[in-house]
Amino acid sequence: MVRLAAFILVLSIPVSAAGPAAMPPSFEGMLNAIHLQVRQTRAAQVQEKSKAEIERLSWDVSRLNSDLWQLRNDLRDIARRVQRRGPSQPGRPDQDPFLRTAIPRLVWNLRDMARFADRAERDVQRLISQASKDPEQVQPAQNLLSEAQRMSSETRWLESDGRNVGWDLRRAGYNMEAWDVERESGGIATGARNLENASRALLEKVR
Protein backbone atom coordinates (compact mmCIF):
# COMPACT_ATOMS: atom_id res chain seq x y z
CA MET A 1 0.00 0.00 0.00
CA VAL A 2 2.84 2.41 0.86
CA ARG A 3 4.67 1.58 -2.40
CA LEU A 4 1.48 2.16 -4.39
CA ALA A 5 0.94 5.54 -2.70
CA ALA A 6 4.52 6.53 -3.48
CA PHE A 7 4.13 5.48 -7.11
CA ILE A 8 0.91 7.50 -7.49
CA LEU A 9 2.55 10.49 -5.84
CA VAL A 10 5.50 10.34 -8.25
CA LEU A 11 3.18 10.16 -11.26
CA SER A 12 1.14 13.12 -9.99
CA ILE A 13 4.09 15.56 -10.00
CA PRO A 14 3.66 17.97 -12.97
CA VAL A 15 6.61 18.08 -15.33
CA SER A 16 6.33 21.87 -15.71
CA ALA A 17 6.52 22.29 -11.91
CA ALA A 18 9.68 20.24 -11.67
CA GLY A 19 11.33 21.97 -14.65
CA PRO A 20 12.94 20.25 -17.62
CA ALA A 21 16.30 19.93 -15.92
CA ALA A 22 14.97 18.85 -12.52
CA MET A 23 15.15 15.21 -11.56
CA PRO A 24 12.05 13.65 -10.00
CA PRO A 25 12.49 12.42 -6.42
CA SER A 26 13.72 8.88 -6.12
CA PHE A 27 11.32 6.11 -5.28
CA GLU A 28 13.19 5.40 -2.02
CA GLY A 29 13.04 9.08 -1.12
CA MET A 30 9.29 9.09 -1.63
CA LEU A 31 8.95 5.98 0.52
CA ASN A 32 10.96 7.58 3.31
CA ALA A 33 8.81 10.71 3.15
CA ILE A 34 5.63 8.65 3.35
CA HIS A 35 6.96 6.57 6.25
CA LEU A 36 7.88 9.77 8.09
CA GLN A 37 4.42 11.21 7.53
CA VAL A 38 2.81 7.99 8.76
CA ARG A 39 4.95 8.02 11.92
CA GLN A 40 4.12 11.66 12.60
CA THR A 41 0.42 11.00 12.10
CA ARG A 42 0.49 8.02 14.45
CA ALA A 43 2.42 10.00 17.08
CA ALA A 44 -0.17 12.80 16.90
CA GLN A 45 -2.98 10.27 17.29
CA VAL A 46 -1.30 8.69 20.34
CA GLN A 47 -0.83 12.12 21.94
CA GLU A 48 -4.45 13.06 21.33
CA LYS A 49 -5.64 9.75 22.75
CA SER A 50 -3.40 10.18 25.82
CA LYS A 51 -4.78 13.66 26.41
CA ALA A 52 -8.34 12.32 26.27
CA GLU A 53 -7.45 9.53 28.69
CA ILE A 54 -5.89 11.97 31.16
CA GLU A 55 -9.02 14.11 31.03
CA ARG A 56 -11.19 11.03 31.60
CA LEU A 57 -9.06 9.96 34.57
CA SER A 58 -9.27 13.43 36.07
CA TRP A 59 -13.07 13.26 35.83
CA ASP A 60 -13.10 9.75 37.34
CA VAL A 61 -10.96 10.81 40.32
CA SER A 62 -13.19 13.86 40.83
CA ARG A 63 -16.17 11.51 41.03
CA LEU A 64 -14.29 9.30 43.50
CA ASN A 65 -13.74 12.37 45.68
CA SER A 66 -17.49 12.89 45.81
CA ASP A 67 -17.98 9.23 46.72
CA LEU A 68 -15.37 9.57 49.49
CA TRP A 69 -17.48 12.24 51.15
CA GLN A 70 -20.41 9.83 51.18
CA LEU A 71 -18.24 7.01 52.54
CA ARG A 72 -17.13 9.17 55.46
CA ASN A 73 -20.80 9.89 56.21
CA ASP A 74 -21.52 6.15 56.08
CA LEU A 75 -18.68 5.45 58.52
CA ARG A 76 -19.96 8.04 60.95
CA ASP A 77 -23.49 6.68 60.63
CA ILE A 78 -22.30 3.15 61.46
CA ALA A 79 -20.34 4.51 64.44
CA ARG A 80 -23.45 6.25 65.83
CA ARG A 81 -25.60 3.17 65.38
CA VAL A 82 -23.03 0.88 66.98
CA GLN A 83 -22.52 3.22 69.94
CA ARG A 84 -26.28 3.46 70.43
CA ARG A 85 -26.61 -0.30 70.30
CA GLY A 86 -23.90 -0.88 72.89
CA PRO A 87 -22.06 -4.15 73.64
CA SER A 88 -23.66 -7.37 72.50
CA GLN A 89 -25.38 -9.23 75.37
CA PRO A 90 -27.03 -12.67 75.33
CA GLY A 91 -30.81 -12.48 75.43
CA ARG A 92 -30.89 -8.76 74.78
CA PRO A 93 -33.21 -7.75 71.90
CA ASP A 94 -31.45 -6.17 68.96
CA GLN A 95 -32.55 -2.53 68.77
CA ASP A 96 -31.09 -2.13 65.25
CA PRO A 97 -31.82 -5.33 63.27
CA PHE A 98 -30.61 -3.75 60.02
CA LEU A 99 -27.14 -3.04 61.40
CA ARG A 100 -25.90 -6.51 60.43
CA THR A 101 -26.65 -5.80 56.78
CA ALA A 102 -25.45 -2.17 56.89
CA ILE A 103 -21.94 -3.10 58.07
CA PRO A 104 -21.18 -5.57 55.22
CA ARG A 105 -22.56 -3.05 52.72
CA LEU A 106 -20.15 -0.45 54.10
CA VAL A 107 -17.25 -2.90 53.77
CA TRP A 108 -18.20 -3.65 50.14
CA ASN A 109 -18.30 0.06 49.32
CA LEU A 110 -14.91 0.61 50.94
CA ARG A 111 -13.48 -2.33 48.99
CA ASP A 112 -14.88 -0.99 45.72
CA MET A 113 -13.30 2.40 46.39
CA ALA A 114 -9.92 0.75 47.06
CA ARG A 115 -10.19 -1.12 43.76
CA PHE A 116 -11.10 2.05 41.87
CA ALA A 117 -8.08 3.86 43.32
CA ASP A 118 -5.76 0.99 42.36
CA ARG A 119 -7.20 0.84 38.85
CA ALA A 120 -6.75 4.58 38.37
CA GLU A 121 -3.13 4.33 39.51
CA ARG A 122 -2.47 1.51 37.04
CA ASP A 123 -4.00 3.59 34.23
CA VAL A 124 -1.71 6.51 35.08
CA GLN A 125 1.33 4.21 35.15
CA ARG A 126 0.38 2.98 31.67
CA LEU A 127 0.17 6.57 30.43
CA ILE A 128 3.57 7.32 31.95
CA SER A 129 5.15 4.46 30.01
CA GLN A 130 4.09 5.99 26.67
CA ALA A 131 4.21 9.70 27.58
CA SER A 132 6.57 12.29 26.15
CA LYS A 133 6.83 16.07 26.39
CA ASP A 134 3.61 17.56 25.07
CA PRO A 135 2.31 21.06 25.94
CA GLU A 136 -1.23 19.95 25.13
CA GLN A 137 -1.16 17.37 27.92
CA VAL A 138 0.27 19.61 30.64
CA GLN A 139 -3.01 21.22 31.75
CA PRO A 140 -4.97 17.92 31.83
CA ALA A 141 -2.10 16.34 33.81
CA GLN A 142 -2.13 19.26 36.26
CA ASN A 143 -5.88 18.83 36.72
CA LEU A 144 -5.40 15.12 37.37
CA LEU A 145 -2.69 15.79 39.96
CA SER A 146 -4.94 18.33 41.69
CA GLU A 147 -7.77 15.79 41.97
CA ALA A 148 -5.35 13.08 43.13
CA GLN A 149 -3.97 15.38 45.84
CA ARG A 150 -7.51 16.11 46.95
CA MET A 151 -8.22 12.39 47.13
CA SER A 152 -5.03 11.68 49.07
CA SER A 153 -5.92 14.37 51.62
CA GLU A 154 -9.49 13.15 51.99
CA THR A 155 -8.49 9.51 52.40
CA ARG A 156 -6.23 10.35 55.34
CA TRP A 157 -9.36 11.41 57.20
CA LEU A 158 -11.19 8.36 55.91
CA GLU A 159 -8.45 6.08 57.25
CA SER A 160 -8.71 7.79 60.65
CA ASP A 161 -12.49 7.38 60.61
CA GLY A 162 -12.05 3.71 59.74
CA ARG A 163 -9.81 3.12 62.77
CA ASN A 164 -12.29 4.85 65.07
CA VAL A 165 -15.21 2.84 63.72
CA GLY A 166 -13.12 -0.31 64.12
CA TRP A 167 -12.84 0.30 67.85
CA ASP A 168 -16.59 0.84 68.15
CA LEU A 169 -17.30 -2.35 66.18
CA ARG A 170 -15.03 -4.41 68.41
CA ARG A 171 -16.72 -3.16 71.54
CA ALA A 172 -20.04 -4.22 70.02
CA GLY A 173 -18.72 -7.69 69.19
CA TYR A 174 -18.11 -7.20 65.45
CA ASN A 175 -14.46 -8.25 65.48
CA MET A 176 -14.12 -9.49 61.89
CA GLU A 177 -16.09 -6.55 60.53
CA ALA A 178 -13.84 -4.16 62.45
CA TRP A 179 -10.79 -5.69 60.80
CA ASP A 180 -12.39 -5.39 57.36
CA VAL A 181 -13.28 -1.72 57.84
CA GLU A 182 -9.78 -0.84 59.04
CA ARG A 183 -8.08 -2.80 56.28
CA GLU A 184 -10.17 -1.39 53.43
CA SER A 185 -9.97 2.18 54.75
CA GLY A 186 -6.19 1.86 54.93
CA GLY A 187 -6.13 0.34 51.45
CA ILE A 188 -7.99 3.33 50.01
CA ALA A 189 -5.50 5.72 51.63
CA THR A 190 -2.55 3.76 50.26
CA GLY A 191 -4.08 3.65 46.77
CA ALA A 192 -4.72 7.39 46.85
CA ARG A 193 -1.10 8.12 47.80
CA ASN A 194 0.13 5.90 44.99
CA LEU A 195 -2.22 7.66 42.58
CA GLU A 196 -0.93 11.07 43.67
CA ASN A 197 2.70 9.99 43.16
CA ALA A 198 1.93 8.54 39.73
CA SER A 199 0.02 11.66 38.67
CA ARG A 200 2.96 13.83 39.68
CA ALA A 201 5.33 11.63 37.66
CA LEU A 202 3.03 11.89 34.63
CA LEU A 203 2.99 15.68 34.85
CA GLU A 204 6.78 15.76 34.97
CA LYS A 205 6.93 13.47 31.94
CA VAL A 206 4.72 15.62 29.70
CA ARG A 207 5.94 19.01 30.95
Side-chain angles (χ1 to χ4, degrees):
M1 179 64 71
V2 172
R3 291 181 176 274
L4 178 59
F7 181 70
I8 294 173
L9 189 58
V10 170
L11 291 179
S12 66
I13 299 175
V15 175
S16 58
M23 293 292 294
S26 68
F27 189 76
E28 291 300 324
M30 293 300 303
L31 281 179
N32 290 336
I34 290 175
H35 282 304
L36 176 61
Q37 185 176 6
V38 169
R39 287 195 299 269
Q40 290 173 339
T41 300
R42 287 176 178 170
Q45 290 173 341
V46 168
Q47 288 178 327
E48 188 63 30
K49 181 180 178 182
S50 296
K51 178 185 175 183
E53 286 196 65
I54 296 171
E55 291 171 341
R56 176 188 60 80
L57 276 170
S58 181
W59 187 90
D60 287 345
V61 177
S62 176
R63 179 175 53 81
L64 290 180
N65 284 328
S66 298
D67 293 343
L68 279 170
W69 180 83
Q70 183 59 52
L71 272 179
R72 290 193 64 193
N73 279 343
D74 293 343
L75 280 166
R76 288 190 286 263
D77 177 64
I78 290 294
R80 285 191 297 266
R81 293 167 67 177
V82 171
Q83 291 166 5
R84 188 168 58 242
R85 180 181 184 275
S88 177
Q89 297 179 5
R92 179 181 177 181
D94 197 341
Q95 298 177 350
D96 190 350
F98 299 105
L99 185 59
R100 287 193 172 276
T101 58
I103 296 173
R105 184 165 60 248
L106 171 64
V107 173
W108 294 334
N109 291 337
L110 290 169
R111 188 172 295 137
D112 283 344
M113 176 65 70
R115 288 171 179 165
F116 289 147
D118 288 341
R119 187 181 308 153
E121 192 259 340
R122 288 195 302 270
D123 286 344
V124 175
Q125 291 291 356
R126 176 175 50 78
L127 289 171
I128 291 173
S129 68
Q130 64 189 32
S132 58
K133 291 187 181 299
D134 181 9
E136 294 295 322
Q137 296 185 40
V138 171
Q139 188 58 54
Q142 286 177 333
N143 294 340
L144 174 59
L145 176 58
S146 177
E147 292 293 345
Q149 288 172 327
R150 220 177 108 209
M151 183 177 185
S152 184
S153 176
E154 187 70 20
T155 54
R156 283 196 289 269
W157 291 105
L158 180 79
E159 186 176 21
S160 177
D161 290 342
R163 285 194 296 266
N164 293 334
V165 172
W167 284 108
D168 290 330
L169 287 170
R170 286 189 179 87
R171 283 194 292 269
Y174 295 98
N175 295 318
M176 292 301 298
E177 291 84 350
W179 167 252
D180 287 337
V181 167
E182 292 169 344
R183 181 186 60 207
E184 300 303 338
S185 299
I188 294 171
T190 299
R193 287 192 295 270
N194 292 339
L195 176 60
E196 180 185 358
N197 292 335
S199 299
R200 184 175 292 105
L202 176 62
L203 176 58
E204 291 302 318
K205 195 84 178 287
V206 300
R207 177 177 283 164

